[in-house]
Amino acid sequence: MGELRLMKGNEVIAEAAIRCGCDGYFGYPITPQSEVMETLMNRRPWDETGMVVLQAESEVASINMVYGAAGSGKKVMTSSSSPGISLMAEGISYLAGAELPCLIVNVQRGGPGLGTIQPSQADYFQATKGGGHGDYRLIVLAPASVQEMNDFVDLSFELAFKYRNPVMILSDGAIGQMMEKVELADYKPRWTDEEVKEISGSWAAIGKSPDREQNIITSLELESDKMERNNIRFQAKYQKIQENEVRFEAIDCDDADYVIVAFGSAARVCQKTVQLARAKGHKVGLLRPITLFPFPTEEIKKMAGRVNGFLSVEMNAGQMVEDVRLAVNGKVPVEYYGRMGGIIPSPDEVEKALEQKLIGG
Amino acid sequence: MAEVAENIQNIIKPENLVYQKSPVLTDKVMHYCPGCSHGVVHKIIAEVIDEMGIQEDTIGVSPVGCSVFAYNYIDIDWHEAAHGRAPAVATGVKRVFPNKFVFSYQGDGDLAAIGTAETMHAVNRGENIVMVFINNAIYGMTGGQMAPTTMVGQVTATTPHGRNVDLNGYPLKITELIAQLPGAAYVTRQSVQTPAAVRKTQKAIRKAFEVQANKKGTAFVEVVATCNSGWKISPVESNEWMEEHMFPFYPLGDLKDGEKEDPEALKMNV
């Protein structure tokens, strides 16, 4: 059993980064995630593990620092919140185009624009469908607890290096700010420069030894046929991720007539909704996608053959519902219920929506 | 003619060579226009890397613009950056590899327009990197539009009647701004239009790398350069135009030579 602590979601991201052997954090303060950098600065990991922590002049600079350090084959990350992630979109596209591993944490707040500092899930499209320019995908993990904020940091680096692809933890202001009991991981040592050479030496810009060709980190290819081949390679990688990395949690789904699909904070609310609905005699289950890309399409497709309908519950105007509908492909009704602008729906209002839109309908 | 060719063959022998291409330059044919300064500056950087024996420990950061393919010509590991972001990318590399040599290479649009914030802040942090800045007062790659460093009255694709201060503001002396920053250790402005100027620039770039080796702060080398394609005049005329119009506004020489400011001297009383 690892060390138990009562911590904020944002603080845990910082603690997990230090413990998993992260080499560098580059970021810029924005509510509701500033505690990530504050915790790191307070902990002084440069003294403890040698991890670099740098407050950049902007989100634009911080994601490009990540881009440089990630191209060096090191474990690096940033964190921000919705408007800041928009500023990083350019850099994220470059990271995906140059196939670099890194971790980007988005503790979402309500938008569009400057919006609110309250929790939201309105960046689902941006996170899962691209966000920056070009055909690319991030691996997107959606934590629903402080414990998962902890666990997904190490998992993100594992996936990032396995596929040489940026990974995003798509959290929100509620999980970032809430305090819960968390079991911390044991310390992993940072990779030595020799280990970095061994793990990433075939592609990373770490200094050219005489026995090899140059390593050039770039997303530029002016010849269209070569650029198309790059894109074909990227798509094959995303397909492999879709086949191998789907993660989800199914609660009370085995005998369910109706299934709620919800992730992150909304899923926490819907756990209670399932209890309320079952107390009323409705057989309701909850499917919680943990990976938003890759999306648990196959699982939903299978369920569509035996349930009467789905309700997608989101803290946005209905974004994930599109992916649920694609998976269900018209077999049974798929409805949406959600709140926007930083409001978290309550379990009983979701239960009412469930009855009105599906069960009673 | 056959006799002349034979004589030349007799002369060109390894034992007779007094100067040759740096082994740090690749064999790729450069894409730059004839008369462009980029090739010369690339050659200088390659020679400095070779002289210092740091090929294995140097990482370059290339820009967006004409020199986007710098990585094809200098035989080291490289990191291509988005438009304007090279100083941030170089910061990321240098922070996780503090003992490597890291340099960025940017033109005027990249460094002094879209990337002004990254430029100023990297220098202000005193990042131990070398920044090479090619200032030819125009956007070369996009077809000769106005740059922040374009001279007043200079005709470009987007200032067809000449740069008008009321409309376009003033040429930006970004190197003078940089020299004011406490993180800057060595700031110099050079050129490469004559052999003597090339030698001075080579000395400056060598010194910049030494500043980095000694962790003294940011070393910034501006090279006032020509863009005969963008300026739409011949290479020879370009050199004359640069000397006549640019040098008075962008005077050559060192702007700062020392090390970054002592933080103890700046510390507030607590």
Side-chain angles (χ1 to χ4, degrees), chain A residues 57 206 212 214-215 217, chain B residues 71 74 77 80 100 125:
Chain A
E57 65 271 28
I206 54 177
R212 68 157 166 84
Q214 290 171 278
N215 283 342
I217 305 296
Chain B
Y71 51 72
I74 302 176
D77 279 358
E80 215 292 305
K100 301 273 178 190
R125 283 190 302 269

Side-chain angles (χ1 to χ4, degrees), chain A residues 23 26 52 54 57-58 60-61 64-65 67-69 71-72 74 76 90 94 100 193 196 204-210 212-218 220 222, chain B residues 26 28 55-59 64 68-69 71-72 74-83 85 88-89 91-93 95-97 100 117-118 121-122 125 127:
Chain A
D23 294 296
F26 304 90
V52 169
L54 182 60
E57 65 271 28
S58 67
V60 175
N64 281 283
M65 291 171 184
Y67 179 55
S72 308
K74 302 261 184 169
V76 290
E90 173 196 65
Y94 278 69
L100 298 184
D193 285 359
V196 168
I206 54 177
K208 179 191 173 294
S209 48
R212 68 157 166 84
E213 295 288 297
Q214 290 171 278
N215 283 342
I216 299 166
I217 305 296
T218 183
L220 177 68
L222 289 186
Chain B
T26 67
K28 290 206 177 85
Q55 188 179 14
E56 267 189 69
D57 293 312
T58 304
I59 295 154
V64 169
V68 64
F69 289 126
Y71 51 72
N72 283 337
I74 302 176
D75 190 20
I76 53 169
D77 279 358
W78 280 88
H79 206 121
E80 215 292 305
H83 205 187
R85 317 297 175 224
V89 173
T91 298
V93 177
R95 289 283 177 139
V96 295
F97 272 132
K100 301 273 178 190
E118 285 81 359
H121 286 280
R125 283 190 302 269
E127 296 292 343

Side-chain angles (χ1 to χ4, degrees), chain B residues 242-254:
Chain B
M242 174 178 71
E243 289 176 354
E244 187 183 340
H245 298 284
M246 289 182 75
F247 286 0
F249 192 76
Y250 300 116
L252 305 186
D254 289 351

Side-chain angles (χ1 to χ4, degrees), chain B residues 1-10:
Chain B
M1 279 308 285
E3 205 176 307
V4 173
E6 202 179 314
N7 278 340
I8 289 171
Q9 285 309 312
N10 287 335

Side-chain angles (χ1 to χ4, degrees), chain B:
Chain B
M1 279 308 285
E3 205 176 307
V4 173
E6 202 179 314
N7 278 340
I8 289 171
Q9 285 309 312
N10 287 335
I11 292 165
I12 304 175
K13 287 177 181 167
E15 60 267 31
N16 290 339
L17 279 180
V18 290
Y19 179 80
Q20 60 183 319
K21 182 177 79 72
S22 164
V24 179
L25 277 180
T26 67
D27 291 328
K28 290 206 177 85
V29 177
M30 289 189 186
H31 70 282
Y32 299 116
C33 306
C36 172
S37 313
H38 277 307
V40 182
V41 182
H42 285 12
K43 182 194 76 122
I44 289 171
I45 293 171
E47 286 181 356
V48 167
I49 291 171
D50 186 34
E51 280 165 21
M52 293 177 73
I54 55 171
Q55 188 179 14
E56 267 189 69
D57 293 312
T58 304
I59 295 154
V61 181
S62 69
V64 169
C66 289
S67 47
V68 64
F69 289 126
Y71 51 72
N72 283 337
Y73 310 129
I74 302 176
D75 190 20
I76 53 169
D77 279 358
W78 280 88
H79 206 121
E80 215 292 305
H83 205 187
R85 317 297 175 224
V89 173
T91 298
V93 177
K94 184 70 184 183
R95 289 283 177 139
V96 295
F97 272 132
N99 295 323
K100 301 273 178 190
F101 287 88
V102 180
F103 73 94
S104 59
Y105 188 100
Q106 297 176 276
D108 39 59
D110 204 64
L111 182 139
I114 195 168
T116 313
E118 285 81 359
T119 301
M120 303 298 276
H121 286 280
V123 179
N124 199 44
R125 283 190 302 269
E127 296 292 343
N128 283 305
I129 56 173
V130 171
M131 299 171 75
V132 179
F133 167 40
I134 308 297
N135 177 11
N136 57 19
I138 204 161
Y139 286 0
M141 178 167 266
T142 43
Q145 297 85 1
M146 182 188 74
T149 49
T150 292
M151 305 302 299
V152 176
Q154 187 181 340
V155 171
T156 73
T158 50
T159 54
H161 310 292
R163 183 178 190 153
N164 173 343
V165 167
D166 292 336
L167 208 58
N168 310 112
Y170 296 87
L172 182 61
K173 292 186 175 185
I174 189 132
T175 304
E176 275 76 357
L177 288 173
I178 279 162
Q180 304 303 311
L181 300 174
Y186 173 53
V187 181
T188 188
R189 184 184 281 128
Q190 302 293 336
S191 65
V192 292
Q193 84 285 17
T194 63
V198 169
R199 278 198 294 275
K200 276 188 189 166
T201 302
Q202 182 143 356
K203 238 173 125 182
I205 288 178
R206 166 92 193 218
K207 184 169 176 175
F209 274 85
E210 283 163 357
V211 164
Q212 178 172 187
N214 296 325
K215 300 188 183 344
K216 283 187 171 175
T218 310
F220 189 94
V221 181
E222 173 179 343
V223 181
V224 182
T226 58
C227 177
N228 43 284
S229 298
W231 295 353
K232 302 194 191 324
I233 47 179
S234 73
V236 172
E237 287 167 334
S238 294
N239 281 342
E240 289 163 4
W241 191 91
M242 174 178 71
E243 289 176 354
E244 187 183 340
H245 298 284
M246 289 182 75
F247 286 0
F249 192 76
Y250 300 116
L252 305 186
D254 289 351
L255 287 89
K256 189 171 185 178
D257 183 2
E259 50 192 89
K260 64 184 174 188
E261 276 178 41
D262 177 12
E264 289 307 314
L266 300 171
K267 218 171 187 176
M268 63 180 189
N269 290 321
V270 282

